Amino acid sequence: DSKAHLDHPEVLELSESGVQFVSCTTSPKQFQAPWYWPLGARQIRRSDMPDLSDFDTVWAYPYWFAPFLRDCQTPVLISGMDCATLLYWRKLKNTSVMAPTRFLRTAAGLIANALFEIRYLRSRHVHVVGQADAKALQRVLVRATYIPHPLLDYQPVARLRRQPGHALTFLISNPGDPIYGSTRYLRWVENLFNHSRNEIALRLIVHKGTPDALCAIKAAAHHYPQVVVEPITWVDDYSVLLSTIDIQLFPLDIGAGTKTSVLTALQHGVHAICTPIAAENVQSNSLLFVADDRSQPFDSALSRAIASVKEGDSLPRQVETLNLHSPKGCGAQFWNYLKQDVR
């Protein structure tokens, strides 16, 4: 992944036995991108400041290691990537309204990424943190292996006991983001405000919302005097912020792999209401509530999450151990896989 990890004891041990580690975090500008690559992947070759609101550009990183794979004849393990074909398929499938030009460009990106993964990854070893990613890659004869994503290196801040009359505090991040988002965030927020009629007070923190999304959320809150909307951008200490949150909303329709923001919320004892895509590959947890449009609607998940918060008001909130995502356990699985299956 990063050059900072190339001096770990396990890496040194394997390096001495002939395993070569290469960091592919920087795009080699001298490599001429083929014409059939997605437009964003070709643009990132020519620019040091890519447009991060462009889907093709953000997901161009699988193309960075193409020159290395093209010239490498020895066995290779690619670690930590998502399946770009799966991402583009989900974008086409889950975006309800898309301009014709955007639809054509996304469809072309889907085809280009599928061809890329078939061309460069077939018969290669690929380590992914998503079960759906592994299955999609295995269909084109990529040797993909799923290993759970470890918890990030956060030190949760002690949560204060909720006081009587304390406003229920919600957090939603990146609403309106063109890369991952949809209009689902607004439906969830409107349902949340309507549900809050029975609450004394409700506080919604909007983290890094787009201007249009923030205006829409404030307009939805206009008729609910008990609701306070607080927009924030930069956060000095994310753990401190999460120590004040009761419930975090994850209205994610597009994505792959494991969503580390969901893991981080659970790690901090925050209740998480997620779409199935946001919750995939995350260990089942009493603080995790999945909401879809059919069997488990958002209103039901919201009611259960609020009830869980209130039931814990009189007791210190216990953060469950996410054994599946233990850094030590995930690391052991990865190194065993590398030693036994890849070498």
Side-chain angles (χ1 to χ4, degrees), residues 225-248:
Q226 76 278 22
V227 172
V228 175
V229 176
E230 297 182 16
I232 61 173
T233 51
W234 179 257
V235 177
D236 290 325
D237 191 327
Y238 196 55
S239 292
V240 172
L241 171 64
L242 289 181
S243 72
T244 68
I245 304 299
D246 295 308
I247 300 173
Q248 187 168 357

Side-chain angles (χ1 to χ4, degrees), residues 295-311:
S295 59
Q296 303 177 86
F298 174 75
D299 287 343
S300 174
L302 177 62
S303 296
R304 289 183 286 117
I306 291 176
S308 178
V309 170
K310 292 182 176 179
E311 287 171 3

Side-chain angles (χ1 to χ4, degrees), residues 109-184:
L110 171 64
I111 296 170
N113 278 283
L115 292 174
F116 173 86
E117 291 177 341
I118 292 172
R119 166 67 178 83
Y120 287 99
L121 302 183
R122 185 187 291 265
S123 300
R124 303 284 190 180
H125 291 276
V126 177
H127 154 234
V128 294
V129 293
Q131 297 182 67
D133 301 72
K135 292 178 181 177
L137 290 170
Q138 288 165 2
R139 290 192 184 102
V140 294
L141 302 182
V142 177
R143 299 177 185 176
T145 298
Y146 164 72
I147 297 174
H149 197 298
L151 295 170
L152 301 182
D153 186 22
Y154 280 107
Q155 295 298 323
V157 176
R159 303 184 66 86
L160 299 177
R161 187 189 300 271
R162 281 170 43 89
Q163 301 299 318
H166 168 80
L168 276 173
T169 304
F170 290 76
L171 171 66
I172 185 170
S173 296
N174 302 305
D177 187 297
I179 302 301
Y180 304 101
S182 69
T183 57
R184 183 189 297 272

Side-chain angles (χ1 to χ4, degrees), residues 38 56 110-111 202 274:
D56 278 340
L110 171 64
I111 296 170
L202 185 145
C274 305

